[in-house]
Amino acid sequence: MDLLAGIFTDYTLRNVALGAALLGLVGGVLGSFATLRRQSLLGDVLAHAALPGICLAFLLTGTKAPLILLLGAGLAGWLASLLMLAILRSTRLPEDSTLGVILSGFFGFGIGLLTFIQHSGDSDQAGLDKFIFGQAATVVGEDVLTMAVLGGVALLLVGLLYKEFKLLTFDPAFASSLGLPVRGLGTLLTSLTVIAVMIGLQTVGVVLMAAMLIAPAAAARQWTNRLSTMVWLSAAFGVLSGVLGAVISATRENLPTGPLVVLTASLITLFSLLLAPERGLVWDWRRTRNNRRRIRLERLLLDAHVLYNHAELTPESLAQRRRAAPARAKEELEELAARGWVTGRGERWELTEQGHAEAHRLEQAMRVLPKALNPRAEGGAGGAA
């Protein structure tokens, strides 16, 4: 509770938490569109492409002012996105290969520039390498204000063009048929992702930035099938990750904020993957297990129904029909009795009214299913007759 209160009273913790929350908010919203457009690696490319922009901005201006460096990073990321789109449109190179080439090329160029700067003897270059992994503790009030302005512009444009971005995400061909500038909208959406990368470089750095675009959106996708709900959930998960990561990093000395923010986002994603009601692996396993048990019991009921109508329903006859041990057949009859489908004890068993009704329903379904799968089968047979 003291740490949570420190968000409002401690200057450094407040700035770090606000900066991380802004990153989570903007990254969560824009990451939703990137994830649904199958461009999850786009954030990784833009983040790595930002490094040479930071180095060139320092070489050209000689200053480490955060706004100047972030503008250089944003420009480099934007150029990388334009280059990627141009390669995809003019060549047959697959998208994943294009992303990999641009990522490694720009990042290698950035590392080369960073090494050159570090050996140049310029004392002002100290600290530039922090952009690789981030250094959230250096965030001050002015940086938070810059993040808020950039993030506000990005979120405002998403709000104004939400319908267009939604249509572009799910059906770009239909959007083009309506006369919408699909190429321009795609470039704009990518440019807004660049803004999210600019916001996150100082907090989580080049290497970890992609996680703040992908993880909240991937977690939100497990909980809903609606884009609007996904965007809100992704933003909430991003903010929660940022605040919790900042608070946890304040509990001990030398705990890096950026990695903890990403770790928190990853844990939220893992929780969602396991326990989300619609898509969670645990619930999916449970539904699969229940479906298998239901199918087994329905087959067992049909076998019992056949035996009851044409012979005697006993554990021995059921065991012979199902090629199982008599003890196992007795257990299966008891399972049917628990469902209210059969009744009896020892060697004498019979179907209840509920069991007859359920067996009749299953038989009808089995007759209807082939016709539903092949509706012309009946007509073809009639024609042949």
Side-chain angles (χ1 to χ4, degrees):
M1 294 301 296
D2 293 336
L3 285 173
L4 292 176
I7 296 177
F8 303 98
T9 58
D10 185 89
Y11 176 80
T12 301
L13 180 57
R14 181 172 67 247
N15 289 331
V16 172
L18 284 176
L22 286 170
L23 167 61
L25 175 62
V26 180
V29 171
L30 293 170
S32 299
F33 293 98
T35 300
L36 293 174
R37 296 176 70 198
R38 301 182 183 276
Q39 294 181 343
S40 298
L41 286 178
L42 178 62
D44 204 14
V45 172
L46 297 178
H48 284 75
L51 183 59
I54 294 172
C55 296
L56 288 174
F58 174 78
L59 288 173
L60 294 176
T61 63
T63 179
K64 292 192 300 181
L67 181 59
I68 299 298
L69 297 182
L70 290 181
L71 288 176
L75 181 60
W78 185 65
L79 291 175
S81 66
L82 293 182
L83 179 59
M84 178 195 70
L85 294 174
I87 292 176
L88 290 176
R89 284 196 296 262
S90 58
T91 69
R92 296 184 179 180
L93 197 64
E95 184 174 356
D96 55 348
S97 300
T98 303
L99 292 174
V101 169
I102 294 178
L103 184 152
S104 56
F106 272 77
F107 189 61
F109 182 44
I111 292 295
L113 287 176
L114 186 61
T115 303
F116 170 76
I117 293 173
Q118 288 176 338
H119 289 84
S120 64
D122 189 348
S123 60
D124 291 336
Q125 57 81 27
L128 285 180
D129 58 330
K130 300 299 183 183
F131 281 97
I132 297 180
F133 296 104
Q135 192 176 30
T138 62
V139 175
V140 297
E142 183 179 351
D143 299 330
V144 173
L145 181 60
T146 301
M147 294 177 183
V149 172
L150 293 174
V153 171
L155 295 178
L156 178 61
L157 288 174
V158 170
L160 292 175
L161 298 173
Y162 174 77
K163 292 182 179 179
E164 288 78 4
F165 287 156
K166 180 179 180 180
L167 193 57
L168 174 69
T169 299
F170 291 107
D171 199 342
F174 180 62
S176 179
S177 69
L178 294 178
L180 294 178
V182 173
R183 183 177 298 182
L185 288 172
T187 303
L188 177 59
L189 191 53
T190 302
S191 300
L192 296 180
T193 307
V194 172
I195 294 179
V197 171
M198 292 170 61
I199 293 174
L201 285 178
Q202 194 168 354
T203 305
V204 299
V206 166
V207 175
L208 299 176
M209 180 57 219
M212 293 308 296
L213 288 171
I214 300 171
R221 182 66 183 91
Q222 309 308 310
W223 296 88
T224 182
N225 291 321
R226 295 180 59 87
L227 176 61
S228 57
T229 306
M230 178 181 172
V231 170
W232 283 106
L233 280 176
S234 181
F237 289 154
V239 172
L240 181 63
S241 302
V243 174
L244 287 181
V247 171
I248 294 173
S249 69
T251 59
R252 295 286 187 275
E253 292 184 3
N254 299 322
L255 280 180
T257 302
L260 285 173
V261 169
V262 173
L263 178 60
T264 305
S266 301
L267 290 176
I268 292 175
T269 304
L270 179 62
F271 177 84
S272 301
L273 288 171
L274 291 176
L275 297 175
E278 293 295 328
R279 296 171 175 268
L281 296 178
V282 172
W283 297 109
D284 184 64
W285 170 81
R286 184 176 180 181
R287 283 191 294 268
T288 301
R289 186 191 64 174
N290 291 338
N291 288 336
R292 288 177 177 175
R293 182 173 183 270
R294 177 181 57 81
I295 292 173
R296 183 179 63 83
L297 290 177
E298 288 176 350
R299 290 177 176 174
L300 179 60
L301 175 62
L302 290 174
D303 288 339
H305 184 253
V306 171
L307 289 173
Y308 183 76
N309 289 334
H310 299 90
E312 291 185 350
L313 179 57
T314 65
E316 288 75 14
S317 63
L318 184 62
Q320 184 177 3
R321 180 176 178 84
R322 296 180 63 82
R323 298 180 181 179
R328 175 58 182 162
K330 186 176 181 180
E331 293 176 358
E332 291 177 334
L333 285 173
E334 291 174 352
E335 286 187 82
L336 293 179
R339 299 291 293 265
W341 290 344
V342 301
T343 182
R345 181 176 299 177
E347 297 297 323
R348 300 183 61 183
W349 293 82
E350 60 182 15
L351 266 69
T352 63
E353 292 184 4
Q354 182 182 353
H356 278 295
E358 182 65 18
H360 179 70
R361 184 190 68 81
L362 292 174
E363 289 176 343
Q364 290 294 111
M366 292 176 65
R367 293 191 187 101
V368 171
L369 183 59
K371 297 179 182 179
L373 295 176
N374 188 11
R376 300 199 304 182
E378 184 177 357

